[in-house]
């Protein structure tokens, strides 16, 4: 099931309902947006400096003044846009770019980075599905 289908009928209240680990669907979506936008930007630029100062926990943060219907719609639009942009960029990318190795990132080729990002996305989409089921059972 596509993530957009999982998220389409969620209310703001459901999106900010915490599980036992203090995670919310909205915070996980923010995390997905952060890493997909970051890696897409790096992919488009081709070169990047690895930023070890990034605090991964902060990528899950919620901005309290945006926790409303408009903020949720904006978040969903950003998520859809970054996934859509990835599809377009990958369709238009020459295979030689995907095999180019990144000395800045453990000398991994771009195809491996994109593959790891896809696995990362799948993991968190699974979390979102479980959270939604838990919320709807309560």
């Amino acid at each position: 099931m596509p993530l957009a289908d999982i998220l389409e009928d969620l209310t703001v209240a459901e999106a900010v309902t915490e599980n036992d680990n203090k995670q919310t669907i909205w915070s996980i979506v923010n995390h997905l947006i952060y890493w997909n936008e970051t890696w897409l930007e790096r992919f488009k630029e081709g070169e990047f400096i690895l930023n070890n100062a990034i605090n991964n926990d902060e990528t899950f943060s919620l901005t309290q003044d945006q926790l409303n219907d408009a903020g949720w719609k904006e978040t969903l639009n950003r998520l859809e846009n970054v996934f859509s942009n990835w599809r377009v960029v990958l369709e238009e990318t020459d295979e030689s770019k995907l095999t180019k190795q990144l000395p800045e990132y453990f000398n991994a080729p771009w195809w491996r980075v994109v593959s790891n990002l896809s696995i990362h996305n799948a993991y968190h989409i699974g979390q979102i599905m479980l959270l939604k089921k838990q919320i709807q059972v309560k």
Side-chain angles (χ1 to χ4, degrees), residues 105-124:
Y105 195 69
F106 311 106
N107 220 26
W110 268 114
W111 68 263
R112 184 170 291 153
V113 172
V114 172
S115 175
N116 286 345
L117 183 61
S118 298
I119 292 166
H120 174 260
N121 291 341
Y123 171 80
H124 287 298

Side-chain angles (χ1 to χ4, degrees), residues 21-136:
N21 296 324
K22 303 291 185 198
Q23 290 180 314
T24 69
I25 289 173
W26 198 332
S27 66
I28 296 169
V29 169
N30 282 348
H31 174 75
L32 288 174
I33 290 169
Y34 177 84
W35 284 113
N36 279 277
E37 286 178 347
T38 298
W39 279 108
L40 181 60
E41 179 83 16
R42 290 171 176 172
F43 188 78
K44 286 178 176 180
E45 290 177 7
E47 302 286 330
F48 66 92
I49 297 171
L50 193 58
N51 183 354
N52 292 323
I54 295 170
N55 180 342
N56 192 54
D57 291 342
E58 291 175 8
T59 67
F60 290 91
S61 67
L62 295 174
T63 306
Q64 295 302 315
D65 63 338
Q66 290 188 309
L67 298 182
N68 53 48
D69 288 335
W72 180 233
K73 286 180 183 167
E74 179 184 326
T75 299
L76 294 177
N77 285 337
R78 276 184 69 196
L79 182 69
E80 178 54 36
N81 285 339
V82 72
F83 284 161
S84 177
N85 289 338
W86 262 118
R87 281 189 296 275
V88 170
V89 165
L90 289 172
E91 286 171 1
E92 295 174 351
T93 296
D94 186 77
E95 188 175 328
S96 64
K97 170 135 184 183
L98 292 170
T99 58
K100 182 179 184 266
Q101 292 184 295
L102 300 166
E104 311 89 344
Y105 195 69
F106 311 106
N107 220 26
W110 268 114
W111 68 263
R112 184 170 291 153
V113 172
V114 172
S115 175
N116 286 345
L117 183 61
S118 298
I119 292 166
H120 174 260
N121 291 341
Y123 171 80
H124 287 298
I125 290 168
Q127 277 187 309
I128 290 168
M129 287 179 64
L130 287 173
L131 265 168
K132 182 178 180 182
K133 287 182 184 220
Q134 290 170 353
I135 290 166
Q136 293 179 336

